[in-house]
Amino acid sequence: MPGIKVKETESFDDVYRKFKKQVDRNLVVTECRARRFFESKTEKRKKQKINAKKKMLKRLYMLRRYESRL
């Protein structure tokens, strides 16, 4: 769970910015959205397949981009 220690010299905006960074790093919001509704196992598998395909296409794109420079 994200938490920060506040110094007396820090303004509210600085502290709030630090807290938001920690929340983003710990994926609190995305996990909350994912748990909002029940997902069946088939839906999870479909999402995993889609993500794997996206990842592979991204790698292929980067590889082709790298090879074109040579």
Side-chain angles (χ1 to χ4, degrees):
M1 193 69 187
I4 56 172
K5 293 181 181 179
V6 181
K7 298 175 187 172
E8 291 182 19
T9 58
E10 290 181 315
S11 68
F12 175 76
D13 294 330
D14 294 337
V15 174
Y16 182 64
R17 198 174 304 120
K18 283 183 184 179
F19 180 73
K20 279 181 62 175
K21 272 188 183 179
Q22 277 197 347
V23 169
D24 288 341
R25 285 186 192 138
N26 292 335
L27 302 174
V28 174
V29 177
T30 53
E31 188 173 337
C32 179
R33 285 182 186 153
R35 291 175 185 235
R36 185 178 286 171
F37 300 105
F38 176 76
E39 279 186 350
S40 64
K41 289 184 179 181
T42 55
E43 289 175 351
K44 287 181 184 178
R45 273 186 261 142
K46 283 181 184 178
K47 283 187 178 181
Q48 285 178 347
K49 281 185 180 181
I50 291 169
N51 288 338
K53 190 174 181 180
K54 283 182 185 178
K55 191 175 182 180
M56 185 60 71
L57 288 173
K58 185 177 178 181
R59 284 187 179 173
L60 184 63
Y61 170 76
M62 295 301 284
L63 181 66
R64 286 183 178 166
R65 210 171 136 200
Y66 175 74
E67 288 177 348
S68 67
R69 290 184 186 176
L70 298 177

